[in-house]
Amino acid sequence: MPRVVVSVMPKPEILDPQGKAVQHALPKLGFDGISDVRQGKRFELEVDGELTDARLQEIHDLAEKLLSNPVIEDFEVVVHEDTLP
Amino acid sequence: MPRVVVSVMPKPEILDPQGKAVQHALPKLGFDGISDVRQGKRFELEVDGELTDARLQEIHDLAEKLLSNPVIEDFEVVVHEDTLP
């Protein structure tokens, strides 16, 4: 069954408190050399039937309307490598 | 600056209430044909200096110890395509 990955990340100009919290914890836990951490969401969608361009456009709309907040987040729709021919 | 993406997803056998909530909302919002939704986390790390194999191994350890819970989650470390030569 085709799978699509939707990645949702905070826009670069938006403050990312979760990412900052992880970033500040790293040196205390012995991990140095990481200058920035941003945290977002990853969705894996299993799609019925064939993954046509029309289906991908529907998933793009779904990602924009339901899975992300376009005011503060960017999203990306990628076909999962298991699905690629 | 090199960037690395860490994806953290619930293990397949683990119940994913967030994913289920999204999956059940889709038909009500007019999106059909999605048979499963799984939701996880995506981290983008900006790395100081060169991305050597040793650095990647450190990031792998960091992902295992800090960014994921190996009991209920799987993780994957991928060099961001902007960074690839």
Side-chain angles (χ1 to χ4, degrees):
Chain A
M1 204 172 266
R3 271 197 300 163
V4 174
V5 176
V6 177
S7 301
V8 179
M9 293 299 289
K11 286 184 186 288
E13 66 274 17
I14 297 289
L15 183 65
D16 173 16
Q18 287 181 306
K20 284 288 170 248
V22 172
Q23 185 184 337
H24 294 140
L26 293 180
K28 291 174 201 147
L29 294 165
F31 296 104
D32 296 312
I34 306 288
S35 52
D36 189 41
V37 175
R38 294 174 60 238
Q39 179 173 343
K41 292 170 280 191
R42 172 188 164 100
F43 297 90
E44 287 187 15
L45 311 175
E46 238 171 53
V47 183
D48 292 340
E50 219 191 311
L51 203 52
T52 60
D53 286 344
R55 288 295 279 150
L56 267 177
Q57 183 55 49
E58 269 177 44
I59 291 168
H60 191 276
D61 295 346
L62 178 160
E64 188 168 23
K65 290 183 182 117
L66 181 61
L67 302 181
S68 69
N69 174 350
V71 174
I72 59 168
E73 293 172 327
D74 292 321
F75 69 91
E76 185 187 37
V77 177
V78 174
V79 178
H80 198 283
E81 66 269 4
D82 298 356
T83 308
L84 298 175
Chain B
M1 206 173 264
R3 270 198 298 164
V4 174
V5 176
V6 177
S7 301
V8 179
M9 293 299 288
K11 286 184 186 288
E13 65 274 16
I14 297 289
L15 184 66
D16 173 16
Q18 288 180 308
K20 285 285 171 253
V22 172
Q23 185 185 337
H24 294 139
L26 293 181
K28 291 175 201 145
L29 296 165
F31 297 105
D32 295 314
I34 306 288
S35 51
D36 189 40
V37 175
R38 294 175 61 238
Q39 178 171 344
K41 292 171 279 191
R42 173 187 162 101
F43 298 91
E44 286 188 16
L45 310 176
E46 238 171 53
V47 183
D48 294 338
E50 219 190 311
L51 203 53
T52 60
D53 287 344
R55 286 297 276 151
L56 269 176
Q57 182 54 49
E58 268 177 43
I59 291 168
H60 191 276
D61 295 346
L62 178 161
E64 187 168 25
K65 289 182 183 116
L66 181 62
L67 303 182
S68 70
N69 174 348
V71 173
I72 59 169
E73 292 172 328
D74 291 324
F75 69 90
E76 184 188 36
V77 177
V78 174
V79 178
H80 198 282
E81 66 267 5
D82 297 356
T83 307
L84 297 174

